[in-house]
Amino acid sequence: MGATQEGRKSPTYGADDRVLDGNVLAGSLGEVFGVEITSAHVACAGCGRRQAVAELVVYASAMGSVARCRGCGHVMLRVAQVRSEVVLDLQGCSSLRVAGEG
Amino acid sequence: MARVTWQPAYLVSRKEETADAVTLVLGVPGWPGHLPGQHADVRLTADDGYSTQRSYSLATPDHGAEVALTVQVVEDGEVSPFLARELAIGDPVELRGPVGGWFVWHPRSTRPVLLVAGGSGVVPLMAMVRARHESGGGAPMLLAYSVRTPDDVIYADELARRAELDDGLTLVLVHTRRAPNGSVRPVGRVNRSELVGWASELGPNLDVFVCGPTGFVDAVSDALVDGGVDGRSIRTERFGPSGG
């Protein structure tokens, strides 16, 4: 089981319901990595906070998604679907840890 | 793990749950199985090649080649009104899944579970309630389900039956706009003392799953953390009407 940081608080990003979370990235990232990625842990390049991909604050649009750190709001990950390609920008992640099988 | 790809599926049956929620049972010959809490992406392709996709939670535990999705209709949406009302029995769709591995409950777990649902956020949590029943598991489980009015309760009959028959399962309905006659709890949003009360009733080593609209999930998880529940035990899933 992964773990979130203790005593975490959700930043308020307004009542905009287009703000989702990283669970919504499961399908598109699954196609890229071929493994379940929402339970992988990423560390924020801005503040260092370690969190599951599922916990990121995601702004989804028809063009793609932007995922921000739940702690500091730093952009950690961008995903766009461009015709048949999925384009991924991971600049805001200082590490990505994926559990191996077994 | 095998790469998750699009698979052909077809509509087997549909059930009206409320005025704007419909459960679709799809036949998916190549379905690899799933855990409660996971979802599936549905892709529709028009004759001219235009295609669009949406993600829906799986409403039942793994039943082999049949999967059930409960679709909340977004009236001006592009996909949900079509899926809910126009897709005919036998019609094809494409399905990708299961997807997601974070917001899942393992039916073998014996740890107490607090499930908090806002509106159609009940769907993946219902898969957990059903999985507990089907696996004969004894984990103490409390489902707190927030709805606007009694007419909005998805799975109402089955939930009432489960609450009566399933040992160790507790159902709490929270009405935010209109409650049934004779209801003890005043109408209003779920509050911190209720949440903390349920958590402490269930005891230590608790797992918490919260699913609903973003504002609901943020409010509930913040209230639980403020009330002393370990944030590491809380798993959340947010959805919005953007899907349509």
Side-chain angles (χ1 to χ4, degrees):
Chain A
M1 297 284 273
T4 69
Q5 288 185 357
E6 201 162 5
R8 87 210 152 87
K9 292 269 292 178
S10 315
T12 302
Y13 289 96
D16 184 356
D17 275 333
R18 289 192 332 120
V19 181
L20 303 172
D21 63 32
N23 291 293
V24 78
L25 302 175
S28 54
L29 292 185
E31 281 214 338
V32 176
F33 290 102
V35 296
E36 204 296 293
I37 208 76
T38 58
S39 43
H41 280 79
V42 283
C44 176
C47 71
R49 182 190 176 104
R50 206 170 77 87
Q51 55 213 299
V53 170
E55 295 178 296
L56 299 176
V57 180
V58 171
Y59 300 78
S61 79
M63 304 293 293
S65 302
V66 175
R68 292 177 177 271
C69 173
R70 192 159 289 279
C72 74
H74 186 77
V75 173
M76 292 181 64
L77 192 151
R78 289 191 178 90
V79 197
Q81 177 90 38
V82 184
R83 288 180 289 278
S84 63
E85 282 186 320
V86 180
V87 181
L88 192 58
D89 174 348
L90 280 164
Q91 273 187 83
C93 298
S94 61
S95 72
L96 169 71
R97 301 158 76 101
V98 187
E101 285 187 61
Chain B
M1 141 178 171
R3 185 170 284 250
V4 174
T5 54
W6 293 102
Q7 301 177 46
Y10 59 94
L11 183 63
V12 172
S13 65
R14 73 150 50 75
K15 181 187 179 205
E16 309 281 333
E17 302 282 2
T18 67
D20 55 7
V22 175
T23 294
L24 305 176
V25 176
L26 300 172
V28 199
W31 189 251
H34 64 271
L35 286 166
Q38 288 190 293
H39 35 109
D41 294 339
V42 176
R43 181 162 74 180
L44 298 174
T45 305
D47 291 338
D48 65 3
Y50 171 74
S51 91
T52 186
Q53 66 188 63
R54 297 291 184 275
S55 197
Y56 295 101
S57 287
L58 297 157
T60 56
D62 188 17
H63 290 162
E66 282 195 349
V67 306
L69 310 174
T70 300
V71 176
Q72 176 85 38
V73 177
V74 178
E75 283 307 337
D76 55 355
E78 184 182 31
V79 172
S80 60
F82 175 82
L83 282 179
R85 294 176 186 142
E86 309 212 1
L87 191 69
I89 304 299
D91 275 357
V93 293
E94 286 178 288
L95 210 65
R96 177 173 67 184
V99 290
W102 168 255
F103 194 81
V104 297
W105 180 67
H106 296 271
R108 286 186 308 276
S109 170
T110 56
R111 292 157 61 93
V113 194
L114 173 60
L115 309 175
V116 189
S120 57
V122 74
V123 177
L125 306 184
M126 188 62 178
M128 298 176 191
V129 168
R130 287 169 164 163
R132 179 184 180 278
H133 168 71
E134 291 181 16
S135 67
M141 184 178 271
L142 189 153
L143 169 63
Y145 179 11
S146 173
V147 288
R148 287 180 182 169
T149 77
D151 299 333
D152 298 314
V153 180
I154 303 175
Y155 318 122
D157 294 346
E158 185 183 346
L159 279 173
R161 197 170 67 241
R162 291 266 83 84
E164 195 161 316
L165 298 178
D166 291 9
D167 213 20
L169 174 72
T170 308
L171 170 68
V172 181
L173 288 173
V174 174
H175 299 92
T176 60
R177 302 264 176 93
R178 177 169 60 80
N181 291 334
S183 182
V184 179
R185 183 187 182 279
V187 165
R189 292 183 177 185
V190 62
N191 62 50
R192 187 170 103 180
S193 67
E194 289 176 305
L195 288 163
V196 171
W198 297 323
S200 59
E201 232 170 82
L202 287 161
N205 300 317
L206 181 68
D207 287 324
V208 185
F209 293 88
V210 188
C211 185
T214 298
F216 175 87
V217 171
D218 287 350
V220 167
S221 54
D222 284 354
L224 284 165
V225 169
D226 285 344
V229 174
D230 185 350
R232 291 172 300 187
S233 67
I234 303 173
R235 295 198 173 205
T236 49
E237 181 161 86
R238 296 160 179 85
F239 62 80
S242 61

